[in-house]
């Protein structure tokens, strides 16, 4: 948990007391469809709501984090550097499923940002703890 | 916490159902809808997998989607329950959370 | 119970919007409250008033508009996703110097914060997509 910003007491009272566990589930590769990009856009907005946010990358979603993306020749914007900026938005819980990585011949070293690699079993437990699951 | 998982893809075209089964914890419910209903039918190569899964999960299939695709409820695997949209709503409200495997 | 609905696919191309509509109708019939229906990704295309489906087919946008009118539903189209895809209300059209707007009655355009708020306020959020 990050340290809460110092604030005036009356501001505290104004704040919505509900902090929910939000999980964003990314299961699709980038560029072929817009889901990866627009999912990331939701996460950036969601950061302002001070909820307990986790991002999960599994199945083809792990390809979103592949290092060295060069989109010049396809005429699309390379949005992979944005994953590195998430920390600045206090989005720090990035989980990547181990099984999804090795199925695709990838390792943690192939990823553009530091993540927590979790087993399918651990991911199952994480999912069970969530209150809102957004899948794109 | 008990979860409801939904799957709307044909198991013959996508791996979504496998992914759902791999991540759904024991006791959590699974609803097959839209093209996902093809996974709920007898006599296919995935039928045994679903039948086995009914030991760990209550499995449901959306009846309107079954009938729309020319299938009948008699063809639904034993142990898989057929629900309508109201039943879908009940599944959502009676579980703590919903995960849509898109 | 208070339910939030997220629709991530456009009309006709995919069943998602139809299923979301049938689900929403059933939930209302059972006395549940729909906190908000949020349209994202190609789902924003559900909000165009300019679609003209064949007469013997359902008019998905009109169905949503009618349901919204009958039940005071809050149908929200994501502004960022809508701008990309050319779904504009009058204000947005003016702001971007476009010669017309196309948002259907009962829909409003707003930010992604409305989706997060739905996640916070609703007891359940159900995602319909591809």
């Amino acid at each position: 948990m990050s340290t809460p910003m110092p604030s005036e007491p009356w501001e505290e009272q104004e704040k919505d007391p509900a902090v929910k566990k939000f999980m964003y589930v990314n299961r699709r590769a980038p560029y072929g469809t817009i889901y990866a990009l627009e999912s990331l856009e939701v996460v950036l907005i969601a950061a302002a709501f001070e909820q307990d946010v986790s991002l999960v990358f599994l199945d083809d979603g792990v390809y979103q984090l592949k290092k060295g993306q060069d989109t010049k020749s396809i005429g699309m914007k390379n949005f992979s550097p944005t994953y590195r900026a998430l920390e600045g938005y206090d989005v720090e819980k990035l989980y990547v499923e181990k099984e999804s990585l090795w199925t695709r011949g990838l390792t943690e070293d192939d990823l553009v940002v530091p993540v927590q690699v979790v087993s399918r079993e651990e991911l199952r437990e994480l999912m069970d703890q969530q209150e809102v699951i957004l899948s794109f | 916490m008990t979860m409801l998982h939904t799957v709307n893809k044909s198991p013959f075209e996508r791996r979504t159902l496998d992914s759902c089964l791999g991540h759904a914890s024991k006791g959590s419910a699974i609803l097959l809808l839209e093209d996902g209903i093809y996974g709920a039918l007898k006599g296919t190569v995935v039928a045994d997998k679903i039948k086995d899964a009914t030991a760990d999960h209550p499995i449901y299939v959306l009846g309107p989607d079954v009938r729309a695709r020319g299938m009948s409820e008699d063809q639904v695997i034993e142990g898989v329950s057929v629900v309508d949209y109201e039943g879908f709503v009940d599944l959502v409200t009676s579980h703590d959370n919903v995960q849509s495997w898109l | 119970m208070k339910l939030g609905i997220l629709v991530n696919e456009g009309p006709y191309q995919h069943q998602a919007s139809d299923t979301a509509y049938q689900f929403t109708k059933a939930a209302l019939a059972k006395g549940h409250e729909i906190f908000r229906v949020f349209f994202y990704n190609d789902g924003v295309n559900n909000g165009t008033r300019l679609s003209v489906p064949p007469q013997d087919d359902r008019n998905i946008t009109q169905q949503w508009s009618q349901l919204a009118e009958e039940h005071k539903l809050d149908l929200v189209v994501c502004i960022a996703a809508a701008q990309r895809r050319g779904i504009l209300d009058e204000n947005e059209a003016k702001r971007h110097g476009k010669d017309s707007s196309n948002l259907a009655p009962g829909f409003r355009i707003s930010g992604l914060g409305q989706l997060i708020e739905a996640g916070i306020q609703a007891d359940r959020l159900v995602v319909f997509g591809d």
Side-chain angles (χ1 to χ4, degrees), chain A residues 16 18-20 22 24 28 34-43 45-47 49 51 131-136, chain C residues 6 8-9 40-42 80-81 84-85 111-125 127 129-130:
Chain A
D16 194 317
V19 173
K20 281 192 173 177
F22 274 69
Y24 295 86
R28 310 219 219 207
I34 200 170
Y35 302 106
L37 171 62
E38 288 194 329
S39 168
L40 188 56
E41 289 182 351
V42 176
V43 171
I45 298 292
F49 283 75
Q51 301 293 303
E131 291 172 280
V132 182
I133 300 186
L134 286 158
S135 32
F136 294 100
Chain C
L6 173 60
N8 286 341
E9 292 301 324
Y40 193 51
N41 297 143
D42 273 1
R84 266 191 190 115
R85 295 164 176 89
L112 274 169
Q114 301 275 307
L115 169 62
I116 311 303
E117 194 201 11
I120 296 169
Q121 299 295 335
D123 299 306
R124 303 282 183 278
L125 183 68
V127 184
D130 184 12

Side-chain angles (χ1 to χ4, degrees), chain B residues 21-32:
Chain B
L21 288 172
H23 293 90
S25 56
K26 203 174 166 164
S28 58
I30 298 172
L31 169 68
L32 305 173

Side-chain angles (χ1 to χ4, degrees), chain B:
Chain B
M1 300 270 285
T2 58
M3 269 177 68
L4 170 68
H5 299 266
T6 68
V7 174
N8 68 345
K9 298 295 180 306
S10 162
F12 307 107
E13 193 200 356
R14 306 266 201 113
R15 315 236 7 239
T16 316
L17 179 62
D18 281 335
S19 201
C20 170
L21 288 172
H23 293 90
S25 56
K26 203 174 166 164
S28 58
I30 298 172
L31 169 68
L32 305 173
L33 73 158
E34 298 175 355
D35 289 351
I37 66 104
Y38 293 118
L41 306 175
K42 287 180 204 162
T44 75
V45 295
V46 301
D48 281 346
K49 192 190 304 185
I50 294 297
K51 202 153 175 49
D52 291 349
T54 58
D56 288 335
H57 307 277
I59 300 187
Y60 304 87
V61 64
L62 198 60
D65 281 330
V66 171
R67 295 191 292 275
R69 286 160 177 78
M71 304 296 177
S72 76
E73 295 185 11
D74 304 340
Q75 287 165 274
V76 171
I77 294 165
E78 233 169 278
V80 174
S81 316
V82 181
V83 295
D84 56 11
Y85 289 106
E86 298 211 339
F88 183 2
V89 173
D90 289 340
L91 284 172
V92 166
T93 56
S94 63
H95 290 85
D96 296 308
N97 198 357
V98 189
Q99 151 86 331
S100 304
W101 292 86
L102 301 176

